[in-house]
Amino acid sequence: MSVHISIRHSFASTSRYKPHYPQRCGDALNEALYSTQGYDGWRPLDLGCGSPVFSRLAALPALTKRELRARGPQGFVPHGRDIAEGLAAHEIELVATSGATGDQVTNVWYQPWWNASEAASWQLNAHARAVATGAHREAILTSPWCAGFPYEDGYLTMEQRTLGRFLYLSERSDPSSWSSDLMDRMVEELNTFKPVVLEANPSFLAGLSRHIVRRRLHVRSPALIVLTYENPSVLHRRQIRRVFDAPMASSYGATEAGYVFMECEAGRLHQVTNTCHVDFLPFAPEHGGPEVGRILVTLFGNPWRSLVRFDIGDVVRLDGHAPCPCGHREGLTLMSVEGRTVNLTLTPESRAVTQGAVDHALGSVTGLVEYQILQTGPSAYRLRFVAEGPPSRAVGNEACDALQAVYGSAAVITAGPVEAIAPDPPGKYCLSKKLEPIDPDVLLDGKFAPREC
Ligand SMILES: [Zn+2]
């Protein structure tokens, strides 16, 4: 096996951090390499404590879900802690995820760390800082398979869907099959429960918002809407905004990694530097780099979970402009999360197109309610869409023109209206994807590409 000796560059050295931050990165790295079994194979690659920590991180591979599955949850528990003992003491739980990118991963769930990560994210948004106390009433509208109480064959009472300060608005995971009565019930419950925060999967809340407009219902706005579970579409945000006047903030993270970025009141996404470090790996210029790239997440301070350079599977766009008007300066700042790597498509000339680029193009199409684009061949694209208002043929034509501008004149785009678009299991919408998935490693700028395991 050949050994790469090329220098790996790190974007982190260009970001601003508080003085103690590199030490926290070093502590997380040393704990992984020298106190956690899952990183045994990485130890020989360490540049050593004499090197800057960002260079040490950049010299290491990426940690993938495949490795999390192969080594199991115990492989990433540091300092010889024992999962069986933690479970017996009710200190931890095991939580299985079925992420959109692949197979199931079993995570060790330590609630106090999760709460700390969430509370740190609230500090990055003025509205959240003002109203999210940790004791506030919160309604949640997402797939019950992600959070809540799934019950697909019948209905549960409000009491059965309430857990402490949380109310889970839906026991059904497919908004395209929600009945009118079910959505009326959600509105009634929002009006009586009076949540301070409404945490919602944006496509789910957009569906409910369209129902509220159609039926001319009154709904009480919470103090803050937090969009999470999936990346919000321009269309979804607009549909929600027609109904709710509360400020909206997109919260970005993962079951494996906690809260990683939070949208501030100025619309940019700031890294949650209290609980994680983020390595940015830019794409090659022809694929949108150096502003667009992938991210790897390293956790701080979770006694039950050591994750270093975890490939969270998303594509982001850096904000390279003037400092954010919100005043926050620390860590990475993003213009946007551009979608998951599985949502990438290619132009006929094999240049990467993010879900965000597709969404931006389709965001201004009159009468477009929902869509899904599938790349079926090197230059073939199929658009399914839901239209409202103008004739669907006109909506389809305008959408095809918008996509032609993204994919170029060689692209062959077909469009067909549908009644509704159902989410993929466990309940997340896919706005774009390629039938034959793209290997995201080939899109990276070689100077930043992670070392092979
Ligand atoms: Zn900001």
Side-chain angles (χ1 to χ4, degrees):
M1 194 179 91
S2 66
V3 176
H4 296 269
I5 55 168
S6 60
I7 296 168
R8 261 69 178 177
H9 293 249
S10 168
F11 238 85
S13 55
T14 63
S15 296
R16 291 172 59 144
Y17 299 105
K18 286 181 179 156
H20 66 277
Y21 183 91
Q23 181 64 47
R24 299 200 74 194
C25 290
D27 291 346
L29 178 56
N30 291 333
E31 181 178 69
L33 293 178
Y34 300 103
S35 301
T36 311
Q37 181 203 348
Y39 298 94
D40 287 352
W42 288 21
R43 212 167 292 145
L45 305 173
D46 184 18
L47 298 180
C49 292
S51 297
V53 69
F54 297 139
S55 300
R56 290 177 67 196
L57 283 164
L60 296 171
L63 178 67
T64 65
K65 287 189 178 182
R66 188 176 60 245
E67 278 129 27
L68 292 183
R69 280 193 296 278
R71 294 184 169 270
Q74 186 64 52
F76 297 92
V77 176
H79 302 298
R81 285 172 182 266
D82 184 72
I83 288 180
E85 289 176 11
L87 290 170
H90 303 291
E91 194 176 345
I92 55 167
E93 295 172 63
L94 292 179
V95 174
T97 60
S98 54
T101 51
D103 302 327
Q104 203 168 61
V105 171
T106 300
N107 300 282
V108 177
W109 186 273
Y110 179 59
Q111 190 70 44
W113 183 85
W114 183 269
N115 292 347
S117 174
E118 184 177 34
S121 77
W122 292 334
Q123 294 307 308
L124 300 172
N125 178 287
H127 306 293
R129 272 200 304 278
V131 302
T133 60
H136 58 274
R137 276 190 315 285
E138 191 162 317
I140 295 167
L141 180 59
T142 187
S143 167
W145 300 101
C146 295
F149 303 95
Y151 197 62
E152 304 284 5
D153 299 326
Y155 295 96
L156 301 173
T157 64
M158 190 170 170
E159 288 69 31
Q160 289 171 314
R161 288 176 284 104
T162 303
L163 189 65
R165 64 188 179 91
F166 300 102
L167 168 64
Y168 297 88
L169 288 169
S170 180
E171 58 275 67
R172 303 289 189 92
S173 62
D174 179 3
S176 69
S177 67
W178 284 349
S179 69
S180 195
D181 285 349
L182 175 59
M183 289 187 277
D184 285 350
R185 187 196 76 186
M186 293 178 194
V187 174
E188 278 173 32
E189 290 184 357
L190 281 171
N191 289 338
T192 54
F193 185 71
K194 299 183 175 64
V196 174
V197 172
L198 170 55
E199 181 181 278
N201 185 325
S203 61
F204 282 47
L205 187 56
L208 179 63
S209 298
R210 295 196 298 272
H211 173 79
I212 291 169
V213 169
R214 274 195 304 270
R215 304 260 296 181
R216 298 183 181 181
L217 301 176
H218 165 75
V219 66
R220 183 185 178 281
S221 276
L224 174 67
I225 294 173
V226 175
L227 302 177
T228 186
Y229 302 105
E230 64 181 18
N231 200 27
S233 160
V234 173
L235 299 177
H236 293 149
R237 278 187 185 260
R238 190 178 304 141
Q239 290 158 16
I240 295 166
R241 178 55 68 223
R242 286 176 69 186
V243 172
F244 294 93
D245 58 12
M248 277 193 267
S250 182
S251 171
Y252 166 86
T255 307
E256 294 87 355
Y259 292 76
V260 180
F261 286 95
M262 179 72 171
E263 183 180 355
C264 72
E265 61 278 14
R268 301 184 197 177
L269 290 130
H270 295 289
Q271 179 195 337
V272 184
T273 50
N274 272 20
T275 48
C276 72
H277 169 69
V278 176
D279 279 311
F280 175 73
L281 310 178
F283 283 172
E286 63 269 32
H287 297 303
E291 289 83 15
V292 175
R294 287 160 55 196
I295 52 172
L296 307 177
V297 181
T298 295
L299 306 189
F300 296 156
N302 185 338
W304 282 97
R305 192 91 161 135
S306 168
L307 289 192
V308 168
R309 285 170 68 80
F310 173 62
D311 182 359
I312 200 165
D314 289 276
V315 181
V316 304
R317 181 181 297 275
L318 292 181
D319 180 24
H321 299 293
C324 188
C326 81
H328 192 78
R329 299 281 181 273
E330 196 189 3
L332 279 183
T333 301
L334 306 182
M335 174 101 62
S336 58
V337 176
E338 290 281 304
R340 303 188 64 75
T341 52
V342 292
N343 300 128
L344 288 165
T345 50
L346 296 176
T347 67
E349 295 77 27
S350 295
R351 291 171 185 256
V353 175
T354 65
Q355 175 181 286
V358 170
D359 195 58
H360 182 73
L362 291 177
S364 54
V365 173
T366 313
L368 187 65
V369 174
E370 288 194 302
Y371 70 87
Q372 188 173 67
I373 183 142
L374 180 67
Q375 183 172 9
T376 55
S379 58
Y381 309 84
R382 192 165 69 221
L383 176 72
R384 301 164 67 228
F385 66 94
V386 178
E388 212 170 66
S392 60
R393 179 183 290 272
V395 176
N397 288 343
E398 193 180 336
C400 284
D401 288 346
L403 290 172
Q404 206 83 54
V406 173
Y407 290 108
S409 56
V412 179
I413 301 162
T414 56
V418 293
E419 285 296 312
I421 297 173
D424 292 341
K428 299 190 183 194
Y429 274 87
C430 170
L431 299 178
S432 68
K433 75 173 174 184
K434 190 169 180 291
L435 204 55
E436 292 285 327
I438 299 162
D439 175 3
D441 285 346
V442 304
L443 306 176
L444 295 174
D445 181 330
K447 293 194 297 296
F448 295 86
R451 191 185 291 270
E452 307 251 329
C453 270

